[in-house]
């Protein structure tokens, strides 16, 4: 029997600017996607919560972040930052300092809900171009001022915390432009502070925006896509939902340019090199400790969303699902794009989330031997050139059915 719907007393007001909440609420300040009743019941069961527990919102973080906190920089150092980047690009108010040192992880959200302010920079400095970054790094190196680089602030590893204060070097304000576009090589060079949506918007509309012959995609779609930067993807060696087809970010990057305390490091735009070591690979994943990533050259792919073919299959257990996935990856007919296999626990959450648990469809699956906490869901899509996409989808289907999967592709979840 499906459980009765229960809707907690969700907070659904637009997030006020300048508040703690404005930093920990994920997504559009005016947008809401509350957990559905399936997920609510799962949370209540897992954490032994009662309906009463969920009636009164707590720690909403609606208070403004304001007040004074010690600034360790001297007024002459602050003046130097202003003369390098312009006074309007040097901020010392508390909200700016907190906003550039708290990321998107659970620990960040919990600390903000509890109004715990720690590890903040003394000032937030937003350079307007590479020359200003070079001057900032030289100055901070000379004065021994710590530099904490901020891309778009979606870190889940506390990567932007200013443990030793200093400055937050904010790439998000000005460093988000196209540097060059090469349609012959199918590459684009962008400044590292460009966000995912900014990049894809330009590429998907390349004929209008870049005078290109066709539309393109970068193919990198982390779950934090909307709120992360190209530079952040590279220095965290990120993966995206479509990485099985397009590759991880280190497969997409062609060249990089860093400003470091000992000078500028620019790698070459050749796709491969016969001498080693490969500086591109050494620099990627450095989390900002090796220098400021200023420009990134990315490999592009043709944007062909119409060729996507979706699929979803339910397997009886993890071992069978894993075998099928291994065969798909080793059969050399090409790779699917999104290729996501959930273990029994995650599958169970999905069944609740999508209200399948307790329905007639769930009953049919059970009767056929697809049991709760054993069955595994595989879902995704293929893409690329149409015949290729179709063929990968067909071959994938053949292998899944051979391993006893139930085809749910008619209703992909
Ligand atoms: C809901 C959610 C989902 C996520 N999903 C994914 C996912 O699917 N895949 C994935 O890989 N990650 C994911 N992440 C983690 C995070 O989004 C990535 O690590 C992202 O690449 C960080 O980019 P950013 O621009 O937000 O960087 P920031 O958070 O600003 O910085 C991250 C680190 O990079 C450094 N840095 C940033 N820009 C530069 C630069 N220009 N030069 C030098 N150093 C720099 C910072 O100092 C810091 O150490 C997710 C995070 C959240 C909150």
């Amino acid at each position: 029997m499906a459980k009765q719907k229960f809707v907690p007393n969700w907070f659904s007001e637009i997030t006020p600017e300048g508040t703690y909440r404005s930093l920990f609420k994920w997504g559009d300040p005016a947008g809401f996607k509350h957990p559905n009743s399936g997920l609510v019941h799962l949370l209540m069961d897992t954490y032994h919560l009662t309906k009463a527990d969920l009636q009164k919102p707590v720690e909403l973080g609606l208070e403004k972040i304001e007040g004074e906190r010690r600034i360790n920089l001297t007024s002459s150092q602050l003046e130097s930052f202003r003369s390098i980047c312009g006074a309007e690009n040097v901020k010392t108010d508390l909200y700016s300092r907190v906003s550039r040192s708290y990321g998107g992880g659970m620990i960040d959200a919990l600390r903000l809900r509890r109004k715990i302010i720690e590890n903040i920079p003394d000032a937030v400095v937003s350079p307007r171009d590479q020359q200003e970054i070079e001057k900032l790094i030289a100055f901070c190196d000379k004065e021994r001022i710590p530099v904490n680089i901020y891309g778009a602030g979606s870190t889940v590893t506390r990567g932007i915390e200013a443990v030793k204060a200093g400055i937050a070097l904010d790439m998000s304000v000005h460093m988000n432009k196209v540097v060059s576009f090469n349609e012959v090589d199918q590459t684009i060079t962008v400044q590292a502070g460009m966000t995912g949506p900014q990049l894809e918007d330009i590429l998907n509309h390349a004929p209008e925006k870049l005078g290109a012959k066709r539309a393109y995609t970068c193919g990198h779609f982390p779950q934090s896509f909307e709120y992360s930067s190209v530079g952040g993807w590279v220095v965290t060696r990120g993966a995206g939902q479509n990485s099985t087809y397009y590759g991880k970010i280190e497969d997409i990057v062609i060249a990089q340019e860093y400003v470091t305390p000992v000078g500028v490091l620019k790698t070459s735009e050749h796709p491969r090199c016969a001498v080693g070591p490969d500086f591109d690979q050494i620099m990627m994943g450095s989390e900002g400790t090796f220098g400021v990533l200023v420009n990134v050259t990315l490999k592009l792919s043709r944007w062909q969303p119409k060729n996507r073919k979706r699929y979803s299959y339910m397997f009886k257990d993890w071992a069978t699902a894993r075998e099928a996935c291994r065969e798909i990856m080793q059969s050399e007919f090409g790779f699917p794009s999104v290729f996501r296999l959930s273990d029994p626990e995650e599958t169970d959450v999905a069944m609740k989330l999508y209200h399948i648990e307790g329905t007639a469809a769930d009953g049919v699956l059970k009767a056929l031997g697809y049991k709760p906490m054993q069955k595994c869901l595989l879902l995704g899509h293929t893409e690329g050139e149409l015949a290729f996409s179709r063929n990968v989808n067909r071959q994938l289907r053949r292998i899944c059915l051979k391993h006893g999967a139930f085809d749910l592709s008619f209703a992909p979840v």
Side-chain angles (χ1 to χ4, degrees):
M1 272 280 288
K3 286 187 180 162
Q4 255 198 334
K5 243 186 171 177
F6 164 63
V7 182
N9 186 16
W10 299 120
F11 180 78
S12 304
E13 284 165 35
I14 297 174
T15 304
E17 284 177 16
T19 58
Y20 289 88
R21 189 172 186 79
S22 70
L23 298 182
F24 67 73
K25 181 193 178 297
W26 186 252
D28 178 359
F32 298 96
K33 196 177 175 196
H34 300 306
N36 68 15
S37 65
L39 188 55
V40 169
H41 280 296
L42 176 69
L43 291 170
M44 288 172 74
D45 291 347
T46 308
Y47 299 109
H48 309 295
L49 298 171
T50 64
K51 288 183 179 174
D53 290 328
L54 297 177
Q55 282 307 351
K56 193 171 177 298
V58 289
E59 292 176 347
L60 287 172
L62 295 171
E63 302 79 3
K64 290 247 182 212
I65 300 181
E66 49 197 6
E68 299 294 321
R69 284 287 158 122
R70 183 188 154 83
I71 294 178
N72 302 292
L73 299 169
T74 64
S75 32
S76 129
Q77 286 171 329
L78 282 169
E79 204 37 53
S80 297
F81 290 129
R82 291 188 190 105
S83 77
I84 294 172
C85 297
E88 70 283 12
N89 291 310
V90 180
K91 301 219 163 92
T92 53
D93 63 282
L94 191 58
Y95 182 80
S96 299
R97 292 161 67 194
V98 174
S99 74
R100 292 315 183 240
S101 49
Y102 280 67
M106 187 187 66
I107 294 172
D108 303 275
L110 286 176
R111 286 183 303 154
L112 287 167
R113 277 185 187 272
R114 289 174 189 177
K115 304 185 198 65
I116 298 170
I117 296 183
E118 57 188 1
N119 301 336
I120 59 171
D122 296 313
V124 178
V125 183
S126 307
R128 291 167 290 195
D129 56 35
Q130 179 164 341
Q131 286 71 35
E132 290 186 359
I133 294 177
E134 288 174 27
K135 284 182 192 161
L136 282 174
I137 294 300
F139 178 72
C140 289
D141 188 36
K142 180 166 80 63
E143 301 275 317
R144 311 308 294 157
I145 297 170
V147 177
N148 309 278
I149 309 158
Y150 177 93
S154 69
T155 175
V156 284
T157 56
R158 305 178 75 171
I160 52 176
E161 279 183 40
V163 181
K164 296 191 172 170
I167 61 161
L169 193 155
D170 185 356
M171 298 291 285
S172 71
V173 182
H174 303 292
M175 298 300 292
N176 48 23
K177 300 175 190 70
V178 174
V179 178
S180 61
F181 169 66
N182 182 336
E183 193 163 19
V184 176
D185 290 350
Q186 254 179 238
T187 61
I188 191 165
T189 302
V190 297
Q191 292 179 330
M194 181 176 279
T195 63
Q198 286 170 339
L199 175 66
E200 280 300 311
D201 181 55
I202 291 166
L203 294 176
N204 295 172
H205 300 97
E208 304 95 284
K209 303 209 171 192
L210 299 169
K213 293 197 193 83
R214 54 169 62 92
Y216 294 96
T217 178
C218 161
H220 190 72
F221 300 100
Q223 283 181 324
S224 56
F225 172 75
E226 283 94 339
Y227 303 101
S228 55
S229 68
V230 174
W233 300 344
V234 176
V235 299
T236 61
R237 237 184 153 85
Q241 310 300 312
N242 304 54
S243 292
T244 308
Y245 178 73
Y246 292 103
K248 271 181 86 232
I249 195 68
E250 65 266 27
D251 304 309
I252 298 171
V253 167
I254 297 281
Q256 307 162 76
E257 185 164 6
Y258 287 83
V259 172
T260 83
V262 291
V264 173
L265 173 78
K266 192 171 191 289
T267 64
S268 95
E269 288 189 15
H270 303 125
R272 288 289 183 272
C273 194
V275 291
D278 183 342
F279 279 105
D280 272 311
Q281 294 300 326
I282 290 171
M283 299 303 279
M284 284 190 277
S286 58
E287 289 263 357
T289 53
F290 291 178
V292 185
L293 177 55
V294 182
N295 296 321
V296 186
T297 303
L298 300 158
K299 182 171 84 179
L300 302 179
S301 300
R302 295 179 182 188
W303 189 53
Q304 307 172 91
K306 283 192 187 142
N307 297 350
R308 281 182 199 147
K309 304 286 163 208
R310 297 184 185 283
Y311 63 82
S312 53
Y313 295 94
M314 189 68 82
F315 289 86
K316 286 196 171 148
D317 55 50
W318 174 256
T320 324
R322 192 189 51 202
E323 279 316 303
C325 288
R326 181 171 288 133
E327 192 174 333
I328 290 164
M329 291 302 290
Q330 293 178 344
S331 287
E332 299 189 25
F333 49 72
F335 296 143
S337 184
V338 174
F339 186 55
R340 185 182 180 107
L341 175 62
S342 295
D343 65 10
E345 202 173 0
E346 193 178 67
T347 301
D348 221 44
V349 172
M351 297 290 285
K352 290 187 168 74
L353 200 59
Y354 299 114
H355 295 293
I356 303 170
E357 193 186 69
T359 62
D362 187 31
V364 172
L365 278 173
K366 272 189 197 136
L368 291 172
Y370 299 85
K371 298 190 184 125
M373 288 312 283
Q374 286 183 20
K375 61 184 182 298
C376 293
L377 181 65
L378 172 71
L379 57 81
H381 69 246
T382 59
E383 63 184 303
E385 188 270 330
L386 185 58
F388 171 85
S389 177
R390 274 195 189 130
N391 184 51
V392 174
N393 203 289
R394 223 177 0 242
Q395 301 286 351
L396 187 144
R397 179 170 198 276
R398 176 180 59 77
I399 293 172
C400 289
L401 296 185
K402 190 177 93 183
H403 286 83
F406 190 89
D407 189 352
L408 295 165
S409 306
F410 58 90
V413 280

